[in-house]
Amino acid sequence: GPPRLAAAPFDASGEQGVLSLRFDDGALVTRDAVREWMPLHSRMMQTWYELVRTRSDVARQNFRLRGLIRTAGTLQAARDPLELERTLVADCLTVVGAEWAVLVRWDERVESGTVRAATVGAMELGVVVSEFVVSAGSVAGEVCIGGQPSVLADARHIVDEGDGVFGSGRALGAVGSLLAVPLVRGRQE
């Protein structure tokens, strides 16, 4: 009789899987026909899957690129430093896909910084603009001093040991991954 179920290997972006098809009782297809076209169908579906995934990746990158272009335009047009700082942290969410962002102004003379702007997500973690002090031994402080970005895929241990992100001494909420990037304005800041 006709096949009830057919399966073929399916390799999607390096991850192995199975493409399976179930046939109704009245199917007019033979087992030999299924054996012949099922591997071809699986390869075609793999190609389709890769195209959809690539389209999604391109759309995500275009979204972020538009955010970068908007930010660049804002940077050029901004005259008010406070508005510029707020725009920078807000645009970070779009450009890098973050949940929260903070802008720290570092003072080399006292080797500490102050949070100048923060998104709502950062404020929900307990970051208070203009009152939140960033210490030299924290991740943010080390990035400000060294001038090199820091990428932590898993920053939970830093928060579990106290606020190692900012060194504020205040307990922060949950932090997953962390990206800290130095921004240099002129030669002084």
Side-chain angles (χ1 to χ4, degrees), residues 115-127:
V115 171
R116 297 285 302 170
T119 60
V120 172
M123 289 185 251
E124 289 171 355
L125 288 176
V127 175

Side-chain angles (χ1 to χ4, degrees), residues 15-26:
E15 295 188 27
Q16 299 298 315
V18 173
L19 173 67
S20 63
L21 299 176
R22 183 182 125 356
F23 296 91
D24 291 334
D25 289 334

Side-chain angles (χ1 to χ4, degrees), residues 145-185:
I145 292 169
Q148 295 296 314
S150 179
V151 179
L152 301 168
D154 185 359
R156 290 179 295 185
H157 68 283
I158 293 172
V159 175
D160 291 343
E161 299 167 1
D163 178 19
V165 176
F166 301 109
S168 67
R170 299 181 189 181
L172 286 181
V175 175
S177 56
L178 180 69
L179 169 65
V181 179
L183 299 175
V184 179
R185 183 172 67 183

Side-chain angles (χ1 to χ4, degrees), residues 59-128:
R60 189 177 317 108
Q61 292 301 327
N62 282 341
F63 180 74
R64 290 180 176 167
L65 180 60
R66 284 192 302 273
L68 280 172
I69 291 168
R70 184 179 62 248
T71 300
T74 302
L75 290 173
Q76 290 176 347
R79 298 293 177 243
D80 177 16
L82 292 174
E83 185 60 33
L84 177 63
E85 291 167 350
R86 283 190 220 111
T87 300
L88 278 172
V89 295
D91 285 355
C92 281
L93 303 183
T94 302
V95 173
V96 299
E99 293 180 23
W100 56 269
V102 171
L103 179 69
V104 173
R105 176 168 286 165
W106 190 254
D107 187 342
E108 289 180 0
R109 295 169 293 154
V110 294
E111 288 197 348
S112 69
T114 308
V115 171
R116 297 285 302 170
T119 60
V120 172
M123 289 185 251
E124 289 171 355
L125 288 176
V127 175
V128 180

